[in-house]
């Protein structure tokens, strides 16, 4: 664990010293705020819910986000109770105010849960290219959390993996439910 903590620190210190700059900071602040509260993903899910063809995608995204809230934010964060890097190491200056615990990164988790759900839906329909911008945005949101120094790299990495896993789980659950519902509807039509 000491090795991971040391590596986490070194990466954040390198980002602050070598990557932060006057041009990049406003861009990264904008990107990091896109992930606040999962709002960008909730808006995308709501847009998907509006069209019958993409409704299952919207439901899947919302389910992945909800499971992430329960598992990541309400269960893992309080259990691990990892202090934010700027609190543990005052020399690592944060660019945004952030309370709560650090592990896992909720921004990374929610971004990858929603974006992967979106990608998987469109991959199945043969429109993979639609999902790629979402995955790129999710990666940028996740990386922005390092830039603003409110998460360790291991927080972001684990949040990303958890988000991807939740997307696969939510996709499986919604597809199974949709298939059962379709089968049930077809059965009632035949009975009439």
């Amino acid at each position: 664990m000491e090795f991971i903590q040391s590596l986490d620190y070194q990466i954040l210190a390198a980002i602050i010293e070598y990557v932060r700059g006057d041009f990049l900071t406003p861009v990264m602040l904008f990107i990091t705020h896109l992930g606040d509260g999962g709002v960008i993903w909730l808006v995308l899910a709501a847009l998907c819910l509006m069209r019958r063809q993409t409704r299952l995608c919207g439901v899947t995204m919302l389910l992945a986000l909800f499971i992430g809230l329960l598992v990541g934010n309400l269960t893992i964060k309080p259990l691990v109770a990892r202090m934010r890097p700027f609190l543990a190491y005052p020399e690592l200056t944060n660019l945004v105010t952030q309370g709560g615990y650090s592990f896992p990164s909720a921004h990374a988790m929610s971004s990858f849960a929603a974006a992967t759900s979106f990608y998987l839906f469109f991959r199945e329909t043969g429109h993979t290219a639609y999902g790629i911008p979402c995955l790129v945005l999710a990666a940028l949101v996740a990386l922005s959390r390092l830039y603003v120094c409110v998460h360790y790299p291991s927080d972001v990495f684990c949040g990303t993996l958890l988000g991807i896993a939740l997307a696969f789980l939510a996709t499986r659950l919604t597809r199974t439910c949709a298939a059962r519902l379709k089968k049930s509807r077809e059965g009632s039509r035949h009975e009439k």
Side-chain angles (χ1 to χ4, degrees), residues 91-108:
E91 67 274 16
L92 298 177
T93 53
N94 56 310
L95 298 180
V96 295
T97 305
Q98 189 69 59
Y101 296 118
S102 186
F103 182 89
S105 166
H107 277 65

Side-chain angles (χ1 to χ4, degrees), residues 58-166:
V59 170
T60 304
M61 290 172 72
L62 291 175
L63 180 60
L65 289 167
F66 180 70
I67 297 170
L69 175 68
L70 295 177
V71 172
N73 292 36
L74 300 179
T75 305
I76 298 174
K77 273 186 184 274
L79 282 175
V80 175
R82 188 179 196 189
M83 191 182 297
R84 299 253 177 208
F86 62 89
L87 295 173
Y89 304 99
E91 67 274 16
L92 298 177
T93 53
N94 56 310
L95 298 180
V96 295
T97 305
Q98 189 69 59
Y101 296 118
S102 186
F103 182 89
S105 166
H107 277 65
M109 178 187 60
S110 62
S111 293
F112 274 95
T116 304
S117 298
F118 190 87
Y119 174 82
L120 292 172
F121 176 83
F122 283 101
R123 183 184 72 172
E124 189 172 281
T125 65
H127 296 93
T128 306
Y130 292 165
I132 292 173
C134 282
L135 292 173
V136 170
L137 179 58
L140 290 172
V141 169
L143 290 172
S144 76
R145 304 308 281 172
L146 301 176
Y147 188 91
V148 301
C149 200
V150 293
H151 283 291
Y152 295 100
S154 57
D155 300 338
V156 170
F157 179 71
C158 292
T160 296
L161 292 180
L162 181 57
I164 292 168
L166 294 173

